[in-house]
Amino acid sequence: MKIFRLILFILHLGILFLLLGTLLNAYVPPKIFPWFNLLSLGFPVLMISYIILTVFWVFSWKKRAFVFMFMGLAFINPVKRWVNYSSPKNGDSEIKVVSFNTRANSGRVEEIGAYLKSQNADVIFLQEDSGASYEFEGYQKTNPAGGFAILTRYKIISQKAIDPQDENIRVPGLQADIEINGRVYRFIDVYLHPFRFDKDMVRLNGNTDANEQKVKDVVKRLIPTFKKHQEQINFIRQSVENSPYPVILAGDFNSVPNSYEYYHLSDGLEDAFLAAGKGSATSFHDYKFPIRIDYVFSSKSLKAISYEVDRSIHISDHYPVIVKLFREGK
């Protein structure tokens, strides 16, 4: 029994250090050490394992349980980025936004158009937009750029693609300054470089050699993409930091919470899910694994009063994210 507990103790310590490694994504970029970013993909499994082992020590009446419980406090916010329960928020919505990766419209333009129209949103962020002509009375559409589009009922002051002017770096976003009720806001639609996996690439079977090769192939695709994301984020951050207006940044980051992408795109902004979300934030449903890769961030002068992942809609491999915000002060 002592040997068994020793093995579990070593395993628990190992999981703790791996979890701490995910926190280092706030400081260590993928071009220097991409493996911390890789760990962020396994955060839910690592965290569940950590909790189960902690509970085991509690029921075993071991003092080490208190140490692991104390260390677990470091992961409260990282866990809330996946699963959260916020208290009800009061206030009248000033801006309603919808962010939706339409998967190049999935051959269902009419359904997508009808859904988006029914939301009566002030601003709609689209990713993987095929340029389909959605007919919304009273809405204008920004010029699509690399699969992006922003639709709004309000006056567009200016718009531009966030273009790195480098053929090796994919356009990561679309920027539009929009006047709403006499106030101007900068809306940034984000779509980071996709991994382009299909289900067969990540589905393991009983063949050990084949599974090992699949894991190697996945890692070979993940790490270069992390590095591309780092380059794309630099250009998005310029758009955020140079904005004279409050910012609302939303889209498909192709990155999970606690990743390098999450930490650096959210820098100085607030995650609407942390402020107003309830339950799971999982937004990508094509795999049977909890994956949150769609986000809405805003300047701190804007407060989220509701956050919804609309799981009633299955017209894409992503669920739409719907957020209502209001602006504090004048």
Side-chain angles (χ1 to χ4, degrees):
M1 191 64 177
K2 288 184 177 180
I3 294 176
F4 175 70
R5 286 179 175 172
L6 177 62
I7 292 171
L8 288 185
F9 178 65
I10 294 171
L11 177 63
H12 206 170
L13 283 177
I15 293 171
L16 173 61
F17 283 112
L18 291 176
L19 286 169
L20 290 172
T22 66
L23 303 183
L24 294 177
N25 283 314
Y27 312 102
V28 182
K31 286 189 176 182
I32 292 178
F33 193 78
W35 299 99
F36 291 140
N37 219 26
L38 196 64
L39 283 176
S40 66
L41 296 171
F43 182 86
V45 173
L46 291 171
M47 197 68 232
I48 291 170
S49 301
Y50 185 89
I51 292 170
I52 290 172
L53 287 171
T54 301
V55 170
F56 173 80
W57 297 127
V58 169
F59 282 98
S60 298
W61 295 95
K62 294 294 181 181
K63 293 180 180 179
R64 67 192 66 168
F66 296 101
V67 176
F68 284 114
M69 288 171 66
F70 177 76
M71 293 299 297
L73 296 176
F75 307 109
I76 290 178
N77 276 338
V79 168
K80 288 172 67 177
R81 294 172 190 145
W82 293 83
V83 180
N84 187 30
Y85 182 82
S86 60
S87 58
K89 301 293 187 300
N90 297 319
D92 295 326
S93 171
E94 183 169 301
I95 305 171
K96 178 181 179 180
V97 301
V98 174
S99 179
F100 190 25
N101 182 318
T102 64
R103 199 181 191 183
N105 306 309
S106 308
R108 305 169 78 171
V109 175
E110 291 186 4
E111 289 180 71
I112 293 172
Y115 173 77
L116 294 176
K117 185 177 181 180
S118 72
Q119 290 303 308
N120 196 32
D122 297 301
V123 179
I124 299 171
F125 299 85
L126 299 178
Q127 304 89 43
E128 286 199 71
D129 176 57
S130 67
S133 179
Y134 298 116
E135 298 296 333
F136 300 154
E137 183 179 353
Y139 278 81
Q140 356 176 16
K141 185 176 183 180
T142 57
N143 296 322
F148 303 90
I150 297 176
L151 289 76
T152 180
R153 298 187 296 173
Y154 293 92
K155 180 180 179 181
I156 299 174
I157 305 297
S158 65
Q159 58 176 292
K160 70 172 185 177
I162 301 174
D163 191 349
Q165 300 294 321
D166 185 335
E167 62 180 13
N168 296 315
I169 305 175
R170 179 191 178 105
V171 172
L174 177 65
Q175 166 190 312
D177 295 339
I178 300 173
E179 183 179 346
I180 299 177
N181 299 327
R183 294 170 170 170
V184 180
Y185 303 87
R186 173 160 295 176
F187 294 86
I188 302 173
D189 192 5
V190 173
Y191 180 51
L192 296 185
H193 194 93
F195 295 101
R196 302 211 181 280
F197 290 131
D198 58 48
K199 291 182 180 179
D200 286 338
M201 293 176 65
V202 297
R203 184 185 291 119
L204 301 181
N205 51 43
N207 188 321
T208 304
D209 292 337
N211 290 341
E212 183 179 346
Q213 187 58 47
K214 283 185 177 183
V215 171
K216 290 179 180 178
D217 291 341
V218 166
V219 171
K220 285 179 181 178
R221 184 167 297 199
L222 286 171
I223 290 177
T225 305
F226 292 153
K227 295 177 180 179
K228 289 178 182 178
H229 286 178
Q230 181 182 338
E231 294 175 335
Q232 291 179 307
I233 287 168
N234 291 336
F235 293 97
I236 296 170
R237 289 303 312 175
Q238 290 176 27
S239 181
V240 173
E241 292 163 8
N242 295 334
S243 175
Y245 315 115
V247 170
I248 299 173
L249 183 152
D252 176 3
F253 294 3
N254 278 306
S255 308
V256 297
N258 313 317
S259 63
Y260 174 88
E261 294 88 337
Y262 179 94
Y263 280 114
H264 290 267
L265 284 174
S266 66
D267 187 23
L269 304 175
E270 290 196 343
D271 183 342
F273 178 70
L274 285 179
K278 295 179 177 65
S280 167
T282 295
S283 58
F284 181 78
H285 60 83
D286 215 25
Y287 304 148
K288 295 180 179 179
F289 187 80
I291 302 177
R292 179 194 181 196
I293 58 177
D294 299 273
Y295 303 85
V296 176
F297 297 153
S298 68
S299 295
K300 293 182 179 179
S301 60
L302 291 161
K303 300 297 179 184
I305 58 175
S306 71
Y307 186 105
E308 178 189 1
V309 179
D310 191 348
R311 297 187 176 87
S312 67
I313 299 301
H314 293 85
I315 49 181
S316 170
D317 53 355
H318 291 247
Y319 294 122
V321 175
I322 305 164
V323 175
K324 293 180 181 179
L325 307 109
F326 76 98
R327 182 170 178 174
E328 293 186 327
K330 296 182 179 180

